[in-house]
Amino acid sequence: MGRPRPRPLRPRPTAASHPAGVWLDAFLEYAATECRLAENTVAAYRRDLKRFYLWLAGRSIPTLSIRDLADYAAWLHEQGLGPASLARHLVSLKVFFRYLQLEGVLRENLAELLGSQKLWERVPKVLTPDQVDRLLDGPQSWDPFWRRDRALLELLYATGCRASELSHLKVTDVHLDEGYCRCRGKGDKERLVPLGVRASEAVRLYLEHERSILVQRSGTQPPWLLLSYRGRRLRRERIWELLKRYAARVGAPPDISPHTMRHSFATHLLAGGADLRQVQEMLGHASIATTQIYTHVDTSRLKAVHHKFHPRA
């Protein structure tokens, strides 16, 4: 006999006698408790699937056809979603339907037949090294807690961390003398990322001059490295806001985001001759296919190679 399935925290709804919305709650609970998915992942599923339920408008999920689901994809496009957002919504739907299939609500997962954008073929936006230098010098002494902000920007570029990873970085995760930090990525997977001299120095100055002030405001001893004005953990939304502020100050592209810094980190490493597998490890990608997107980005280097070696360049 196989091992019994762990008992859920609450009874599952039956396939026939409950409204469709109950299944969304059950799926989110399953994802959080039994699958132990990250809080951000569960939140993303919730946002995407609420949009699906808005389109569903009371229709029964088991009666949906592949044509209906194709209409849903077209409806998403009409809502003005970009290719990446549309593809993520379809992935969320496929995962949700897979859960309904396991629970016996659906006999087959028609959502798997929906095509999705090949995201790895899309070239991400990156900053030039000069743009990065201007951005990292953006915080000035007249800014409140400018050393913290410089440490924040330096860490984004030096580690390639996501905003959520940087937000949850602890003081004990950063080893300045050894030149590395410990990041916790999706699924709480840990990885070690080297820290350069400039990033280490920026973090050191912040620890010496500003963090103790922020700790006093909290009234506790928070473990987080980057603290807010009130001494709490610096939320990822605030990280976005600070990055946007300094980008506007130095004339960087207005659509910059923490992921732009992550893309720039990877692209500049590969342009400098780094091995693809090493970059994959530093980014925390499960598949090297995800990392390969960055091999198509550095067009300036390709043009230089073409000009140098092609006989008719």
Side-chain angles (χ1 to χ4, degrees):
M1 293 180 63
R3 294 180 59 186
R5 288 181 59 187
R7 218 174 149 186
L9 296 182
R10 69 176 68 163
R12 297 280 192 230
T14 60
S17 61
H18 285 74
V22 177
W23 282 110
L24 176 57
D25 295 336
F27 165 69
L28 295 173
E29 181 184 330
Y30 171 81
T33 59
E34 296 186 34
C35 299
R36 297 184 180 181
L37 296 183
E39 181 181 343
N40 290 340
T41 302
V42 177
Y45 282 145
R46 179 181 293 108
R47 289 192 300 269
D48 294 348
L49 292 172
K50 279 187 175 180
R51 195 184 291 264
F52 169 68
Y53 272 81
L54 179 64
W55 169 86
L56 193 63
R59 283 175 283 188
S60 171
I61 291 178
T63 64
L64 294 177
S65 66
I66 185 61
R67 177 172 294 182
D68 292 328
L69 296 181
D71 288 343
Y72 170 60
W75 179 80
L76 288 174
H77 182 73
E78 292 170 0
Q79 302 305 302
L81 271 66
S85 296
L86 196 151
R88 194 196 67 234
H89 276 70
L90 296 183
V91 169
S92 297
L93 185 66
K94 292 175 184 180
V95 175
F96 179 46
F97 274 31
R98 197 174 303 149
Y99 164 78
L100 295 179
Q101 194 176 15
L102 289 172
E103 294 295 335
V105 180
L106 298 177
R107 294 186 61 184
E108 55 184 348
N109 186 355
L110 294 179
E112 294 287 358
L113 301 177
L114 291 174
S116 59
Q117 193 86 9
K118 293 185 177 180
L119 297 180
W120 50 88
E121 291 181 358
R122 297 178 66 247
V123 177
K125 294 181 180 179
V126 299
L127 301 178
T128 66
D130 287 342
Q131 287 175 320
V132 171
D133 286 341
R134 291 199 303 272
L135 177 61
L136 299 185
D137 290 335
Q140 297 296 323
S141 57
W142 59 79
D143 291 306
F145 302 107
W146 64 281
R147 294 184 181 89
R148 179 205 60 187
D149 296 349
R150 279 205 177 183
L152 161 65
L153 297 178
E154 288 281 359
L155 284 170
L156 279 174
Y157 181 60
T159 65
C161 279
R162 304 173 179 90
S164 58
E165 294 171 349
L166 206 60
S167 173
H168 288 86
L169 201 65
K170 299 178 181 179
V171 174
T172 54
D173 292 327
V174 180
H175 302 267
L176 300 179
D177 293 335
E178 293 83 0
Y180 76 91
C181 69
R182 186 186 305 274
C183 301
R184 292 172 180 83
K186 294 182 177 180
D188 206 30
K189 293 180 180 177
E190 292 188 356
R191 67 185 188 277
L192 299 181
V193 182
L195 279 178
V197 175
R198 287 188 58 176
S200 296
E201 183 61 20
V203 173
R204 197 185 308 275
L205 289 174
Y206 158 63
L207 290 174
E208 291 176 355
H209 296 281
E210 292 181 355
R211 189 177 182 277
S212 59
I213 300 173
L214 297 172
V215 167
Q216 290 175 4
R217 295 184 175 188
S218 72
T220 61
Q221 287 294 328
W224 319 111
L225 175 66
L226 297 173
L227 300 178
S228 70
Y229 181 80
R230 292 182 174 85
R232 301 169 184 169
R233 177 174 61 84
L234 196 67
R235 298 177 299 112
R236 61 175 182 161
E237 294 85 358
R238 184 57 177 159
I239 292 175
W240 276 69
E241 292 170 1
L242 290 170
L243 177 61
K244 293 276 191 182
R245 173 197 294 176
Y246 294 116
R249 175 178 294 179
V250 302
D255 57 350
I256 190 174
S257 71
H259 243 62
T260 308
M261 302 297 285
R262 181 171 164 86
H263 294 327
S264 303
F265 162 83
T267 302
H268 296 168
L269 279 175
L270 290 170
D275 179 77
L276 191 63
R277 290 284 182 185
Q278 295 169 339
V279 176
Q280 176 194 0
E281 185 175 347
M282 284 186 277
L283 289 173
H285 286 160
S287 170
I288 198 168
T290 310
T291 317
Q292 283 175 332
I293 185 174
Y294 299 107
T295 63
H296 306 295
V297 173
D298 190 21
T299 54
S300 60
R301 188 171 63 149
L302 295 179
K303 289 179 181 178
V305 170
H306 181 272
H307 181 75
K308 181 177 180 180
F309 295 106
H310 195 281
R312 300 183 69 87

